[in-house]
Amino acid sequence: MERQIADKVESDEPVESLYAAIERSARVLDVPCSRERVMPILTVYGGALARAVVAFRVATGRDHSGELDCRFTVPLEVDPYLLAVDNGLLEKTDHPVSELLTEVRRHCAVDSYGIDFGVVGGFKKVWLVLPRGELQAVSALADIPAMPRSLGQSLDFFARYGLGDTVGLLGIDYRRRTVNVYFGEPPAGGFAPESVRSMLREVDQAEPSAQMLELGQRAFGIYVTLNWESPQVERICFAVATTDPTELAVPLDPTVERFVTHVRESEPHTRFVYAVASQPDGEYYKLQSYYRWQPEVLDIMQLSDRAVADPV
């Protein structure tokens, strides 16, 4: 009995510690944080939190501001989507999005999972991290029955702009019914401004700003967002790894800058990923900070040690 009580205390500690960190960050951002909304998610997946990679994300833009996202890795032995459905975090649906995780897992090896939730919006995504030595060909993933057809219909687009022909990470957004496809490695020297302008124009996105062009040239990675309704790419995102976002050659949104200050005060050596995403009506920015960094983050991000030690 004493051992059971001790086990429960040890299990509760990472959950309570993470909730406290979420609450502090939400307060800095003026994001409403409800224990009743957040704790059920942490409790469902909390068994492995002590060893998980944990990150927070804040974003700009009309559809993204007023929210704080938290994402963390979960063990490969569990099915994160079924756990979410069985515990009332997601509603069961017959949409193809509900079958995609199972079909990807049947098609190829998966190294680890992650989940993503909003303090306000609740459970959102499941991440599938593919083994670094077994990146998947985009064409092979496009053949998966539940995958959006736009992935296969965009193969020429990906090749033409040097996005790469392999994928290292997939993100399945069950609420928005979209899929993020993260390419293995950008072309040497990043993405030239003329290429960025051309690729965005081709998929009906807004003209990129000077800031987006700057980040495109420095990007360690690129990902696209797809859905089941459109035949083409919905969104394109360029990401830069950095230990200090304030030293990037682009101005930071005031909300993002406030969050950076908060994070660096509590953990001055943390890492960040700063990203810009396209939209038909403009662009928005995202900043991810690592509440708990683990060595496997480099594999998840397909990064070398130097990319973070000397990112820009």
Side-chain angles (χ1 to χ4, degrees):
M1 181 67 174
E2 290 180 357
R3 180 67 259 174
Q4 290 177 342
I5 293 174
D7 287 344
K8 185 177 190 313
V9 170
E10 290 173 3
S11 175
D12 287 349
E13 282 179 356
V15 171
E16 290 292 344
S17 177
L18 179 55
Y19 178 76
I22 291 171
E23 194 174 47
R24 287 193 300 271
S25 296
R27 194 179 305 121
V28 168
L29 296 167
D30 296 323
V31 171
C33 180
S34 163
R35 186 178 180 88
E36 291 72 24
R37 191 165 187 81
V38 173
M39 283 300 286
I41 301 173
L42 299 185
T43 302
V44 167
Y45 299 96
L49 270 178
R51 299 176 300 280
V53 175
V54 182
F56 295 152
R57 194 197 74 170
V58 61
T60 67
R62 183 183 64 251
D63 297 332
H64 308 278
S65 59
E67 178 68 286
L68 171 67
D69 290 328
C70 178
R71 57 267 309 264
F72 53 82
T73 52
V74 296
L76 196 58
E77 295 74 28
V78 305
D79 185 317
Y81 170 67
L82 288 182
L83 270 180
V85 172
D86 291 345
N87 287 275
L89 305 178
L90 286 174
E91 291 185 5
K92 189 173 179 57
T93 174
D94 58 2
H95 189 276
V97 70
S98 67
E99 302 296 328
L100 187 55
L101 186 150
T102 299
E103 290 190 1
V104 171
R105 189 171 51 202
R106 188 182 298 129
H107 171 83
C108 62
V110 176
D111 190 66
S112 62
Y113 295 124
I115 67 115
D116 190 335
F117 70 93
V119 172
V120 176
F123 192 98
K124 295 180 179 180
K125 293 182 182 180
V126 169
W127 304 92
L128 296 88
V129 182
L130 308 184
R132 195 162 188 167
E134 299 180 49
L135 301 186
Q136 291 293 305
V138 184
S139 56
L141 291 174
D143 288 337
I144 294 174
M147 189 69 70
R149 296 303 91 203
S150 49
L151 183 61
Q153 293 169 359
S154 301
L155 294 179
D156 288 344
F157 175 85
F158 302 146
R160 190 160 57 252
Y161 291 105
L163 274 66
D165 58 4
T166 57
V167 170
L169 180 67
L170 294 169
I172 305 172
D173 190 321
Y174 292 94
R175 294 199 182 276
R176 294 181 180 270
R177 294 183 175 178
T178 60
V179 179
N180 300 139
V181 178
Y182 291 73
F183 290 87
E185 194 171 313
F191 297 91
E194 57 270 23
S195 293
V196 174
R197 288 192 183 94
S198 181
M199 74 169 74
L200 295 184
R201 193 176 302 119
E202 190 168 333
V203 293
D204 300 322
Q205 305 291 287
E207 183 71 14
S209 69
Q211 291 95 324
M212 179 180 242
L213 297 178
E214 174 70 21
L215 292 176
Q217 288 183 292
R218 298 181 180 274
F220 74 81
I222 184 172
Y223 74 84
V224 299
T225 300
L226 311 164
N227 64 53
W228 281 266
E229 308 302 323
S230 172
Q232 65 182 20
V233 169
E234 176 184 301
R235 189 165 60 246
I236 299 175
C237 184
F238 302 94
V240 173
T242 178
T243 54
D244 185 0
T246 64
E247 292 186 355
L248 294 172
V250 297
L252 297 181
D253 177 88
T255 300
V256 171
E257 190 165 12
R258 188 162 79 245
F259 186 63
V260 169
T261 300
H262 162 69
V263 171
R264 288 177 62 82
E265 284 176 351
S266 57
E267 179 48 71
H269 302 297
T270 194
R271 282 85 160 180
F272 297 89
V273 173
Y274 191 58
V276 56
S278 69
Q279 291 188 136
D281 60 350
E283 61 202 42
Y284 67 96
Y285 291 81
K286 303 180 283 187
L287 180 104
Q288 178 164 300
S289 69
Y290 286 87
Y291 170 74
R292 186 183 301 121
W293 177 277
Q294 302 282 17
E296 57 265 33
V297 172
L298 296 177
D299 287 330
I300 293 171
M301 296 165 63
Q302 307 297 320
L303 277 173
S304 66
D305 291 294
R306 179 174 173 77
V308 174
D310 185 21
V312 295

